[in-house]
Amino acid sequence: MDDKLKEFLKNLPKIDEILILLEKDGVSGEFPRNVVVGTSRSLVGEMRDAIVASKGKTPRLLSTQKAAEEVKKRLLKLREFSLKKVVNATGIILHTNLGRAPLSERAIERIVAVSRGYSNLEFNLEKGKRGIRYDHVRKILCSISGAEDAVIVNNNAAAVLLVLNTLSKEKEAIVSRGELIEIGGEFRIPEVMEKSGAILREVGTTNRTHLSDYENAIDTTTGLILKVHTSNFRTVGFTEEIGLSELVKIGNKKGIPVVNDLGSGCFVALEKYGFEPEPTVQEALATGVDVVTFSGDKLLGGPQAGIILGRKKALEAIEKNPLNRALRIDKLTLAALEATVQEYLNIDGAINNIRSLRALTEQQGDVKKRAEKLLSLVEKIAPEGFSFNLKEGMSLAGGGSLPTQEIPTVLLAVNSERISSGRLEKKLRLLEVPIISRIYEDEILFDLRTIDEDEFGLIEAGLKSLSEDI
Ligand SMILES: *Cc1c(COP(=O)(O)O)cnc(C)c1O
């Protein structure tokens, strides 16, 4: 180690001296001693790493005083919430990074009501003995979808894992090459299959898979046929895909269960609202398929969950699988899911009360009215040098749902003479209630399709605080 490096390391602030300053300040009394010491140690550790990495060039070092201030900042930050509300101005309705579906009012009320005290989560009130958590949603899910039985787990990835593990462990799961997809966040169908213990048997090619490909693959080692809804991309051109009902026919003939991972399962036929037809959960089940799985927080518009519907025989085995104990849904989610599914007893009500469905189906004219209202509000409080105007554009469903289908929308374009759009985007993102926007052609855009009127106040307050800041 050269002398300069040694010299720098010798001059690092001493933990004890930082602690004395923090004590004088009074802040160390507000936190457990190990937290104060640990935070100081990690700051000094970072500085040591920076010195070593600087390889003798002058590193940026903090004085003991500045180091104590930094530790104090970090300590106070521990009390702030990290997970918080943001305004989604991106126009991506089911934005996986922004928490996918916002919950309906009723779903939120149910979470509060059920979690504040005790609940009958696993207690059968009529019989006065142990009950089953899935029973709270089993009946309603079955009556809406036409399924014989239902099991709910943590998310759809867990649902696929559990179904494959139950029905195809150490057996072949036949799946078309065109459906071996990756879903954001590193969920790859082949990898989940491997973890489940199922043996992947790929058939067909990327763009074309024939009925005979499936038939020829079936033998004594077959556990199931899996059909994955390629919900986040489309193959176009010279393609062939075998429909679910044909697979069910083969499955029935050979006595092999057929499973459909629907991804973004929806109870509402969205073609009424101008979308290309997507199979609904009811349609998938009507083919006689043994098992359907889908997410709770994609098009359904509820909490994160994996919903497994289908035939009693398969579902009973799935429910009894010990792996289910590790993947089961918790009471808060169950409370929100029950309320969400109840909305579908009245489709118009569901479209109205479930924000993601409302955003998907709202007429552009109504989005425009909201945009005009926001425009007049922000013009009144506009920081100096800012200008606003409305534009037409396109929103996306997101969450791997309805790919390639753009939804006409209205955008509020924000321009500033005083700050670049890149810096403005960051400042908006770091507001007390962050506004997540997009930049297009060097302009900040707020997509009104994903902004509710009750969030206008937050945008006003955010822009106001910016004007003090730039
Ligand atoms: C989204 C998706 C999943 C994963 O669902 P999560 O609820 O995010 O775990 C699995 N399969 C398909 C086809 C999907 O679209």
Side-chain angles (χ1 to χ4, degrees):
M1 198 184 282
D2 68 30
D3 290 345
K4 230 162 136 194
L5 217 58
K6 271 191 201 150
E7 186 63 22
F8 283 133
L9 289 174
K10 217 176 77 195
N11 288 332
L12 273 173
K14 307 274 174 297
I15 305 279
D16 288 347
E17 289 170 14
I18 294 177
L19 293 177
I20 289 169
L21 290 177
L22 291 170
E23 231 147 82
K24 253 192 220 152
D25 181 276
V27 70
S28 53
E30 294 176 34
F31 294 89
R33 173 127 186 114
N34 64 327
V35 174
V36 180
V37 175
T39 307
S40 308
R41 279 213 182 106
S42 58
L43 176 67
V44 174
E46 283 165 32
M47 289 165 73
R48 183 177 299 112
D49 292 346
I51 291 171
V52 174
S54 73
K55 297 199 177 87
K57 282 196 213 131
T58 314
R60 218 178 59 85
L61 292 183
L62 300 180
S63 65
T64 307
Q65 179 65 40
K66 287 271 185 265
E69 281 166 24
E70 175 62 24
V71 172
K72 178 176 176 180
K73 213 168 94 191
R74 290 185 187 189
L75 287 171
L76 294 178
K77 186 108 189 149
L78 293 175
R79 281 200 207 128
E80 284 172 27
F81 289 117
S82 166
L83 181 61
K84 56 188 164 187
K85 181 193 165 61
V86 307
V87 174
N88 174 10
T90 64
I92 299 167
I93 297 165
L94 297 166
H95 197 306
T96 298
N97 302 147
L98 303 184
R100 288 199 188 149
L103 293 179
S104 70
E105 276 315 312
R106 264 167 52 85
I108 294 162
E109 280 165 19
R110 294 312 299 158
I111 291 178
V112 174
V114 166
S115 61
R116 183 159 275 143
Y118 298 97
S119 68
N120 61 338
L121 178 65
E122 287 191 344
F123 187 69
N124 185 320
L125 295 171
E126 265 161 44
K127 295 186 180 152
K129 55 182 193 192
R130 190 177 170 173
I132 300 168
R133 64 181 62 211
Y134 310 110
D135 283 348
H136 299 294
V137 286
R138 213 189 300 256
K139 262 209 193 88
I140 189 164
L141 275 170
C142 290
S143 32
I144 289 174
S145 67
E148 290 175 4
D149 203 354
V151 174
I152 325 295
V153 290
N154 177 60
N155 59 5
N156 190 32
V160 174
L161 179 75
L162 180 63
V163 170
L164 290 171
N165 180 269
T166 310
L167 302 178
S168 198
K169 189 163 182 240
E170 283 153 29
K171 289 193 207 146
E172 289 188 352
I174 300 175
V175 58
S176 160
R177 280 210 170 79
E179 298 172 6
L180 292 175
I181 57 170
E182 173 180 312
I183 293 119
E186 308 293 302
F187 173 87
R188 290 181 163 179
I189 291 287
E191 287 169 11
V192 174
M193 289 181 91
E194 197 189 316
K195 287 287 174 203
S196 75
I199 301 156
L200 171 60
R201 176 75 183 265
E202 299 173 42
V203 296
T205 60
T206 306
N207 57 331
R208 286 171 72 88
T209 302
H210 307 285
L211 202 55
S212 57
D213 292 326
Y214 286 99
E215 282 172 332
N216 294 338
I218 295 176
D219 56 32
T220 52
T221 62
T222 307
L224 57 81
I225 300 173
L226 173 66
K227 185 164 182 59
V228 183
H229 185 52
T230 54
S231 54
N232 57 356
F233 76 108
R234 284 274 184 276
T235 47
V236 292
F238 186 58
T239 62
E240 179 168 341
E241 154 179 13
I242 302 304
L244 188 61
S245 33
E246 285 167 282
L247 293 182
V248 170
K249 268 189 215 135
I250 308 178
N252 284 346
K253 204 164 78 190
K254 309 258 182 176
I256 292 189
V258 177
V259 173
N260 186 198
D261 172 11
L262 260 182
S264 194
C266 188
F267 288 139
V268 182
L270 287 170
E271 52 264 40
K272 259 199 292 194
Y273 302 91
F275 292 95
E276 285 166 31
E278 281 275 315
T280 61
V281 174
Q282 300 89 310
E283 283 163 358
L285 286 162
T287 63
V289 68
D290 296 272
V291 179
V292 166
T293 75
F294 56 98
S295 299
D297 55 355
K298 290 185 179 173
L299 286 175
L300 192 76
Q304 177 189 306
I307 299 166
I308 308 171
L309 302 176
R311 295 198 171 278
K312 204 155 204 91
K313 187 168 162 234
L315 272 277
E316 271 172 1
I318 290 165
E319 187 172 338
K320 284 205 197 92
N321 186 338
L323 184 60
N324 185 22
R325 178 64 177 76
L327 305 174
R328 70 183 186 185
I329 189 172
D330 78 291
K331 64 182 177 183
L332 306 190
T333 314
L334 197 53
L337 185 66
E338 184 183 20
T340 306
V341 176
Q342 274 184 5
E343 298 281 6
Y344 287 90
L345 293 172
N346 171 352
I347 294 294
D348 292 336
I351 298 266
N352 208 28
N353 299 335
I354 295 176
R355 184 164 156 186
S356 48
L357 278 187
R358 189 169 70 231
L360 269 175
T361 56
E362 190 178 26
Q363 296 294 317
Q364 194 187 15
D366 293 332
V367 179
K368 188 168 180 211
K369 275 184 211 147
R370 209 163 51 246
E372 282 161 354
K373 202 161 178 179
L374 181 61
L375 175 66
S376 73
L377 281 175
V378 295
E379 274 179 336
K380 270 183 221 137
I381 55 104
E384 215 183 284
F386 274 64
S387 61
F388 303 92
N389 63 294
L390 298 185
K391 300 191 156 184
E392 297 201 342
M394 292 291 175
S395 311
L396 285 173
S401 316
L402 313 174
T404 72
Q405 303 198 50
E406 294 186 319
I407 311 159
T409 191
V410 180
L411 309 158
L412 177 75
V414 185
N415 283 286
S416 168
E417 294 164 0
R418 293 163 57 199
I419 178 170
S420 73
S421 52
R423 282 188 52 218
L424 181 56
E425 185 274 337
K426 182 170 181 190
K427 286 209 176 279
L428 290 165
R429 186 155 40 83
L430 295 178
L431 286 170
E432 196 172 300
V433 181
I435 302 172
I436 314 300
S437 60
R438 55 175 141 126
I439 301 180
Y440 184 70
E441 293 184 339
D442 209 29
E443 223 173 23
I444 295 281
L445 300 174
F446 291 174
D447 188 328
L448 268 292
R449 191 168 284 280
T450 49
I451 303 174
D452 258 6
E453 204 162 321
D454 62 15
E455 292 170 318
F456 285 2
L458 296 169
I459 295 178
E460 268 186 278
L463 289 175
K464 260 191 205 153
S465 77
L466 276 189
S467 55
E468 292 150 22
D469 192 33
I470 43 181

